[in-house]
Amino acid sequence: MHLLVLGGTGPCGLQIIEQALARNHSVVVYVRSPQKLPSSITLNPAVKVVEGQLMDQKKLSEAMDGVHAVLSALGPAVKNGPFHPGDTPLARAYALIIDTMRNLDVKRLILLGTASMKDENDKFSLQFSVLVSGVAIFAHNAYEDVVAIGQTVRAASEDLIWTIARVPLLTEKPEREYVAGYIGDGRIGTRLTKAAFGAFVVHELEANEWCRKAPLISSP
């Protein structure tokens, strides 16, 4: 498939790109700072890099034209913490992304989410309750933006086939094994490798097992 990747310069985005390429997909990487991409990606003949701002619909449309799916690792920068802007910039960006997808008849969206996005299938978990409460208190603007992303995606028209890959705490280990389920189901843990996130996204792209669902992904 021909894919558009957003958030491609971050570690989760790089995992998506590398693992999609390994599965013989071709990739358009839409980024603000192309110089942050490693040469192993920019020099790959199956990769096209398009520079642009997230809210520039004209450039975004150029990057999205002709793709079969959009894979997004966009999320609040951890380093910004409590300094994340208060006007839900990522949720507004997703509204523009979804509008652009509709204009170009692109129907598949797989995106990064977090446990802050509640799901009706979740059950109570003390560990996750503490994690989410901590984010809501100490990084409130980021928390509000993430929640708004979930609301924006879920409110999209029925034509959009979305999957929100919610993640717990991310680690740098190389393992790609994961389990997918819901908070409090007895299987889901509080850690996930970034490599496993990439593995889930690429597998879901091909298998379509979690359409219009928001599973929580964790390491086994």
Side-chain angles (χ1 to χ4, degrees), residues 60-111:
L60 180 62
S61 297
E62 291 175 6
M64 194 182 295
D65 189 27
V67 306
H68 300 109
V70 176
L71 311 181
S72 176
L74 294 171
V78 175
K79 64 181 180 180
N80 289 345
F83 304 107
H84 186 81
D87 57 347
T88 61
L90 291 174
R92 289 187 292 108
Y94 268 108
L96 182 67
I97 292 164
I98 292 169
D99 184 61
T100 306
M101 291 178 69
R102 182 169 56 248
N103 292 341
L104 295 174
D105 198 31
V106 180
K107 299 185 183 301
R108 189 67 167 114
L109 172 64
I110 306 175
L111 65 146

Side-chain angles (χ1 to χ4, degrees), residues 148-166:
I149 291 170
Q151 294 169 341
T152 299
V153 171
R154 290 176 184 274
S157 69
E158 292 184 0
D159 289 341
L160 182 69
I161 304 171
W162 53 266
T163 301
I164 302 175
R166 296 184 297 158

